[in-house]
Amino acid sequence: MTQKLTLCLVGPRGGGKSAALATFTDCIVQNAHGYPAELRPAAQSITRAAFHGLDSEASRLDILDAGADEYQRLRGDFAEGGAPTDATRLHEYFFRMTLNGEASPPLAERKPALARIIDAAGAASIADETAPQEASRELRDDFVKRLAEADAIILVLPMTRFEDSGWVGNLARLIERLAFAADCRAKRVVVAFSHYERLFVRLGPSAFTYACDPAVALHVLRGALRASSWSDGLRAVEASGRAAVRFTVFSAHGFVKGFQNPNIDPHIRVDQRFRRAGVDGRRGFNEFWRPFLTADPFLYAAFDLENAFMFSFAQIDASTLAGRSPSMRNSPPSP
Ligand SMILES: Nc1nc2c(ncn2[C@@H]2O[C@H](COP(=O)(O)OP(=O)(O)O)[C@@H](O)[C@H]2O)c(=O)[nH]1
Ligand SMILES: [Mg+2]
């Protein structure tokens, strides 16, 4: 038996939703997620027909026919530097997600999941008041409907100051709607901060070591959430007991394989990943490219799987002292 899930990506334009989606299967293949390697997660893109009826013979053949797959196109777009999501329709991608490793008993019971992931242009999910209105009324209404039906919501926000962006008001309104709409059935909400590698650009080859420390991520998330009024609605979501809320970080560009510095070329004005001069095509990007934690929001959303980079409000709110290493917390009080 498989379970069917709908996951909905939400976030402002340019936040990194499509990049997260385009890279999460590679992140799994490259073992660049925050879960133990023994979990052996897998995600395979499947067709719409396979999602709707996996047990039929026709759909089994369908799985093998990945040639014209929309998801491969999305991956290709990302490899070439990324393209803005077409704002005339919602985009659906389908995956079979499994946990293959020997895991602890409760995990062993987990069924493979067939996931439908909905990605829309930022204008359809969180409009920017300072940008031209790209998405039609119908598309935005359609998006709100899908959002209400989703089993889990992945909110992707850029890891930059955005209190003065043109969309933070709309973000707050959308979260309020999630908190108080009785018809919203999401059980999990993941807030994933993107562009994480940018914080480490001055650290050179030590960058990856710092990025791999969950305590650094917790510190960064505390900073991002401090005095953020848009997150109040998320507290209401969690307080209502209807959905769990988690915060995490990720980078689609990631860190350079073998060198461990952030994978953005400082000599180019726009963020671009490193590639060897003279090498053409996708291989040129893949040579150095290793994404960072982009699979985690999807694995959490599909399987309710916690890891060291996934933080709750309680962890974020805990005092810094309580957040230190367990050995410090457990040391007996001095006489
Ligand atoms: N530096 C950096 N740029 C990124 C990252 N992920 C995406 N981008 C860039 O940010 C821009 C917007 O990303 P996109 O995924 O299209 O955002 P969306 O509108 O939310 O789907 C693109 O130019 C991406 O190449 C990242 O991890 N690091
Ligand atoms: Mg997009």
Side-chain angles (χ1 to χ4, degrees):
M1 234 330 250
T2 48
Q3 49 167 340
K4 277 190 197 177
L5 296 165
T6 298
L7 317 181
C8 201
L9 282 161
V10 182
R13 182 164 77 165
K17 299 179 293 298
S18 302
L21 182 60
T23 59
F24 97 94
T25 55
D26 288 272
C27 178
I28 292 176
V29 170
Q30 295 200 34
N31 225 337
H33 51 77
Y35 292 98
E38 303 83 67
L39 194 67
R40 301 216 338 263
Q44 171 191 26
S45 113
I46 57 173
T47 60
R48 178 185 301 269
F51 175 82
H52 288 293
L54 189 75
D55 297 330
S56 73
E57 190 60 37
S59 66
R60 221 167 282 151
L61 292 172
D62 229 5
I63 294 179
L64 302 173
D65 177 26
D69 191 339
E70 252 207 271
Y71 184 62
Q72 300 311 328
R73 214 160 10 212
L74 183 73
R75 284 182 66 224
D77 283 348
F78 177 79
E80 295 307 323
T85 307
D86 159 26
T88 59
R89 62 187 181 95
L90 298 179
H91 301 262
E92 294 185 322
Y93 301 87
F94 302 91
F95 301 88
R96 180 181 166 82
M97 295 167 73
T98 42
L99 303 172
N100 300 306
E102 286 169 35
S104 54
L107 288 180
E109 288 162 21
R110 275 178 224 276
K111 316 269 186 296
L114 296 187
R116 161 170 49 191
I117 304 182
I118 297 172
D119 183 24
S125 62
I126 301 179
D128 187 330
E129 274 146 16
T130 62
Q133 201 47 260
E134 286 177 323
S136 68
R137 173 95 237 158
E138 290 74 42
L139 186 69
R140 280 182 289 142
D141 289 347
D142 201 14
F143 184 76
V144 168
K145 221 176 291 161
R146 300 303 184 89
L147 199 61
E149 289 165 7
D151 298 285
I153 292 168
I154 301 173
L155 184 56
V156 177
L157 301 173
M159 183 55 96
T160 46
R161 250 188 72 78
F162 51 75
E163 295 306 331
D164 37 28
S165 73
W167 47 259
V168 69
N170 287 331
L171 168 67
R173 270 188 286 282
L174 182 123
I175 291 172
E176 291 281 298
R177 199 183 307 155
L178 288 181
F180 300 109
D183 61 345
C184 183
R185 51 184 293 247
K187 288 276 172 290
R188 291 181 280 286
V189 178
V190 191
V191 183
F193 284 90
S194 62
H195 297 190
Y196 191 51
E197 90 290 342
R198 286 190 197 209
L199 301 183
F200 305 96
V201 283
R202 288 164 182 229
L203 298 176
S206 310
F208 188 61
T209 308
Y210 285 100
C212 284
D213 185 345
V216 173
L218 178 59
H219 179 78
V220 166
L221 287 168
R222 281 189 177 136
L225 289 173
R226 195 170 299 133
S228 69
S229 51
W230 57 267
S231 67
D232 293 345
L234 287 171
R235 288 182 188 277
V237 170
E238 180 144 278
S240 73
R242 280 190 306 176
V245 180
R246 293 291 179 275
F247 297 88
T248 192
V249 293
F250 75 91
S251 167
H253 284 34
F255 295 84
V256 182
K257 262 187 215 167
F259 296 92
Q260 322 232 315
N261 53 300
N263 194 2
I264 43 181
D265 190 336
H267 305 296
I268 299 174
R269 204 169 50 81
V270 292
D271 287 356
Q272 208 172 84
R273 277 157 286 144
F274 286 99
R275 69 192 298 186
R276 207 183 282 283
V279 178
D280 229 16
R282 297 257 304 270
R283 215 190 131 256
F285 283 116
N286 290 346
E287 194 167 8
F288 296 129
W289 173 60
R290 188 166 191 236
F292 186 69
L293 306 182
T294 60
D296 302 41
F298 298 96
L299 291 171
Y300 175 79
F303 295 113
D304 195 11
L305 274 178
E306 308 278 355
N307 75 21
F309 287 92
M310 212 49 83
F311 300 98
S312 63
F313 268 120
Q315 286 167 293
I316 287 180
D317 294 343
S319 76
T320 317
L321 191 64
R324 292 230 180 103
S325 70
S327 58
M328 279 186 62
R329 241 183 307 155
N330 296 338
S331 60
S334 46

